[in-house]
Amino acid sequence: MYLIVLLLPFINAFFLGFCGRLIGTIGSGVLSTICMGSSTLIALLLAYEILVNDAVVHIELYKWVESEILITHVGLLYDTLSVTMLLVISSISTLVHIYSTSYMSDDPHVPRFLCYLSLFTFLMMVLVTSDNYLQLFIGWEGVGVCSYLLVAFWTTRIQANKAAIKAIVVNRVGDVGVILGMILIYKTIGSLDFSALEAGFVKPPILDNGARLDPWAPWAPIGILLLIGCIGKSAQLGLHTWLPDAMEGTDSNGSRAPQHKWTAGVFLMIRSFPLFEKAPLALLIITIFGALTAFFAATVGLVQNDLKKVIAYSTCSQLGYMVLIIGIEGSHNVGLFHLFNHAFFKALLFLSAGAVVHSTNYDEQDMRKMGGLIHSIPFTYTMMLIGSFSIMGLPYLTGFYSKDLILELTYSGRNMGVPYFISEQGHHLESLEGSIGSQGGDKRPWGGAEGSGPAPLAPPLIALWPESEPSRGSAFAFWLGTFAAFLTAFYSIRLVYITFIISPNSSKESLISSHINIVDKRVLTVLSLLCFGAIFFGYLFQDILIGDIEHPIVPPFIKVLPTLAGVFGMSLSLLLYWGFDSIGPLFILPIYSFLGGAWQFNHTINKLIAIPFFNFGHWGTYKTLDRGWLELFGPQGAGYLGTRVSQAISNLQSGVISRYALVLLSFTIIFLSLWG
Amino acid sequence: MNWVLSSLLFLPPLMGIFHLLTAGALKSPARQWGSYGSALKRIALFWSFISLISTIILWLSLDQEGGFTPLMDIDWIEGPEKIIPITMGGPLVFAVDGISIYFIILTGFIVPCSILISWHSVKYLTKGFLICMLILEFLLYAVFSVLDIFMFYILFEGVLIPMYLILGIWGSREEKMQAAYYFFFYTLIGSVLMLLCLFSLYNIHGTTDYLTLASCSHVPSQQQQKWIFLGIFLAMAVKIPIFPFHIWLPKAHVEAPVAGSVLLAGILLKLGGYGLVRLSWPILPLGAQNLAPAVIAMGIVGIVYGSFATCRQIDVKRLVAYSSVAHMGLVSITLVTHDIIGLTGSIFIMLAHGIVSSLLFILVTILYDRHHTRLIKYYRGLSITMPIWGTIMIVTSLANVAVPPSGNFIGEYLSILSSFNWNPIIGVFVCSGVILSAVYSFYFANRVTFGASGSLITSPRDVNRREFYITASMIFFAFLIGVYPIFILEVIQNSLFFIAL
């Protein structure tokens, strides 16, 4: 059972990939529905066993890599985290498979597409169920590769190809972070198993130089390196640029699956949380990155006109929330909870958007060319609206349960790193050393980390800081997060309003055809199921996933602030769009274009990194060095020199007797003078 | 003297050569199968397959604990004392251990592949070509199994002769002479230095027997070791090739016929790495330690430089050649970091890269056979006209950038780990190759495979059965050694423990 849940998607991918032509379009739909459906059922059984019965299953399959003391097994680990992820992945992925069979029904390459999807699902499952970092990296790279394939699914579109290359190259930057992080973890703990992460703190880290109680064990660099990986994979600020291109370049369906991929980064962070507990600085950086991403993506989402781009940026923003809460000490499960919830309402939004796009005549993605679709596709409108409400965090929908909690926890700011590095900037290094050193004095060198207790540094630090008001880092994150919530509400309602409600901007044929292309039963079922998830799952699963986390005590105003921000953003959006057709004139134009160009990240990276490096590659390394200096001083120079020297020597043999006599005479004189 | 094993290893290529030589005279029944050339190819293919099978049998009967499995010993120069008073240190020993056996299997695997892939592209002097291939195979087996450094040198240089002939006779263009000249210029300069160093080693120890040298590695002084290592390293650096000595490689690859490229990339480049594994740490530990920083610096320059140069190539063969330079830079770094992880990693990269880069050359040649151009700019949208080729191309590119379940990943990860252990900054530099390899590999794969199909090339034909079997089996092995590497890793490490540390 533990293996089959993984193998079913792989078998599906295998058969669809190699025998896709034999199976055919319908057959591949049936096969993948069966495989993925049974995989989901097994995942449900596993969820019963692991989540409800509270068991942890760990299976070691075979020894994978062994070199000196680096021993890694291929193993499967089923605990709360991985089973939750498994449940999300298998269920959403099954729905996406079913949806795709309807959505892609007129495409000639359905089996290939479903094969990519299944492979993606398989690798994502490998990622979440692995019991060590090295195996996790299979899934980590694999999902990157699969999303490359999915983005470039319609291979003839040049935009899709550019986006695909960009996606995989930017992801590699993140992968370097993960590789280096893994190496540092191995150097510090001596193992790459997750089980050693917990145990690694109880016993002192194994270092070859015998430093057993090294206070400078590189937890913070590890944290930052893993964060880089997460930034690359989860499209956080700085390495997010592949995401909107992937959305834009692909036509609507290739972009749906990568939404799992974004969660991979967050998953990695949650999985390696025991490490982060050691690294207050890394936690602080995580929080700040998360908050900045949430804010940045939300601002950019405000002015996008591409339906899918808006949703992509909103995903980016929500991932920012997840990363943010991981940086708050002790609340990573809330990140998992938000991930879980987000998977459902974002899948609802994406699939509805796909339905919208598909319903128009020319697969139109530009919202400005839509409008009035509420009359032709009311069901999709409903789904979209519910998804938007859920993402805004309107009370008692799924999004509310996690998003609200995230902001509250952020405000209450149990981030141990923050007071440390902000309030005692002058002395933090000494005091850190002192505190660890003093703890190293007693019997527990790694600071009270017995079992899964609180983080070692937490008690003295929290005591330093009054509970009631947030530290500066937390406050920064909280206010950015709240503002992002306001922006989320604004752009979500803007999306729904422009697409569905305002008077139609498209041609009559398009509207009529959208009525004709009404969603078929498969899409309808999928959307309804997701809609159920988007409404109820937050309530249903909160006890299982975050049962041990209490809502912090915060002032009432703070408590309602996120909701208020949401409502305010919603009403502001409605207010503005009642009066104006476009948001353009409202902004000052430079700001508008700055946001529209996504803060000009692409431009900067192209001008500063890509083009100079490529020029260097051609003119510097290839033309100047390789075909220039090295050849000149190598074979060509030697050949030239050789001919010149031999020419000179042969010139000496001129046949003129007087010259020979001169040479003879001069050598005789030289030898005589030397001997004499 | 183990007659069974040694004849398993050495006999099949020799039998093949003999069979080829006599094939015309004896009027063998092979004539009936088809044309004369085709019959010759079948003979060569048959014997190279036999050879592959026997290397695998040899592998199965290997000492798994890491020691040397002796094959044979020959009384060599040491004759009756009256005639030749000098001794070169006892009998000449051929033996196989966990390090060399994988290179031998790689040779046994690559040679039939390259005979198969040049089935139609060699149009003249077929017999000579096949004999060259089998001689090359025989010499490679010998060079990977000999335990005498002087004989190693002779065989090491002897490998050049058939390679030079393949390059010069069956090369594609007029510039093949220049390529052959570059090839010889670099390798000869390197090998002269190496010969001098081997002589001075003989002066010190009075023997050229490898195991004796390895057991007395502390005898030469540090200064001597440094110079000797420098000489040996230069010879190997030309072969690997490391940064300033690499410019023969793209030329040779571009001009070589497909079998030449495949053998060059698949095995001959690994010869340098193998030589360094054997000759650096085991017999010259102090020298290797002293010069390690210089080697590592050259390796890093090689990685970055090679990657940047690769990014801008438009000739597909040259692109693959430059990417080999980048990968081999990583190998050279980890060969001198002096830990088991690094050595294992570099050997593993060499094996995986031997398969993957050969495969890339094969794929490129499949294109060249159809369209007679190697410029990327002519190719577009091949996934529409050649879907199987496109699939294999993408998968190979993935293996080339070391995506996890491939063998390259295991090697690359261990290598980065080891270089990071040596110095964290080095590890970070090495990682730049990870990003850049993705840039050039996917640029190439995407550019050629995807996009709308262009009007510049015509007559598209997908891979045929022969090409498919070769490429598919190579991909299978490229990923097999990544999914289940332990059966290779264990033996390599046992042997490394035996000789290197």
Side-chain angles (χ1 to χ4, degrees), chain A residues 63-67, chain B residues 59 62-64 66 97-103 105-106 343-352 355 407 410-411 414 476-496:
Chain A
K63 202 197 280 175
W64 188 31
V65 179
E66 181 185 19
S67 191
Chain B
W59 172 56
L62 188 75
D63 178 10
Q64 298 290 319
D97 72 343
I99 301 171
S100 52
I101 185 67
Y102 293 111
F103 289 98
I105 293 179
L106 185 66
L343 283 171
T344 318
S346 62
I347 292 173
F348 214 89
I349 294 186
M350 284 194 270
L351 295 175
I355 298 175
I410 309 286
L414 293 177
F476 175 74
F477 283 111
F479 280 88
L480 176 73
I481 62 173
V483 172
Y484 193 63
I486 201 76
F487 74 101
I488 294 181
L489 282 178
E490 264 180 1
V491 187
I492 290 180
Q493 281 178 55
N494 289 341
S495 295
L496 283 174

Side-chain angles (χ1 to χ4, degrees), chain B residues 67-270:
Chain B
F68 283 96
T69 306
L71 294 180
M72 58 177 165
D73 42 3
I74 304 168
D75 285 337
W76 185 35
I77 293 181
E78 185 187 32
E81 299 218 348
K82 303 251 168 56
I83 304 171
I84 307 171
I86 56 157
T87 62
M88 293 297 277
L92 181 63
V93 180
F94 287 87
V96 179
D97 72 343
I99 301 171
S100 52
I101 185 67
Y102 293 111
F103 289 98
I104 288 175
I105 293 179
L106 185 66
T107 312
F109 179 60
I110 297 285
V111 168
C113 285
S114 48
I115 291 178
L116 262 178
I117 201 67
S118 49
W119 203 258
H120 293 304
S121 56
V122 172
K123 293 191 169 57
Y124 47 89
L125 295 176
T126 316
K127 193 177 190 175
F129 175 79
L130 295 170
I131 289 177
C132 270
M133 296 289 282
L134 289 177
I135 289 178
L136 194 59
E137 184 174 26
F138 173 74
L139 288 176
L140 283 167
Y141 286 156
V143 78
F144 283 130
S145 63
V146 72
L147 279 188
D148 180 282
I149 54 170
F150 189 67
M151 196 63 194
F152 176 78
Y153 169 78
I154 292 176
L155 290 166
F156 188 78
E157 298 306 318
V159 168
L160 291 183
I161 298 169
M163 195 63 222
Y164 178 74
L165 291 177
I166 290 175
L167 195 62
I169 297 177
W170 294 277
S172 53
R173 292 192 301 181
E174 285 307 304
E175 290 155 49
K176 65 191 178 186
M177 292 319 292
Q178 198 200 6
Y181 163 63
Y182 271 41
F183 180 54
F184 244 62
F185 176 82
Y186 275 102
T187 41
L188 276 183
I189 287 183
S191 54
V192 165
L193 292 172
M194 180 169 159
L195 184 63
L196 293 176
C197 292
L198 294 188
F199 281 151
S200 67
L201 265 180
Y202 175 69
N203 254 344
I204 295 165
H205 291 281
T207 177
T208 53
D209 180 49
Y210 177 72
L211 287 177
T212 319
L213 289 179
S215 58
C216 318
S217 59
H218 56 281
V219 171
S221 72
Q222 185 170 346
Q223 203 62 23
Q224 283 172 328
Q225 288 206 4
K226 205 155 75 180
W227 287 109
I228 296 172
F229 178 77
L230 186 65
I232 291 178
F233 169 71
L234 284 179
M236 300 302 173
V238 168
K239 238 349 174 307
I240 285 180
I242 298 178
F243 156 62
F245 314 110
H246 68 274
I247 61 172
W248 62 270
L249 183 73
K251 275 201 187 306
H253 271 315
V254 169
E255 303 307 331
V258 51
S261 290
V262 170
L263 283 171
L264 204 56
I267 308 162
L268 290 202
L269 300 191
K270 279 72 201 172

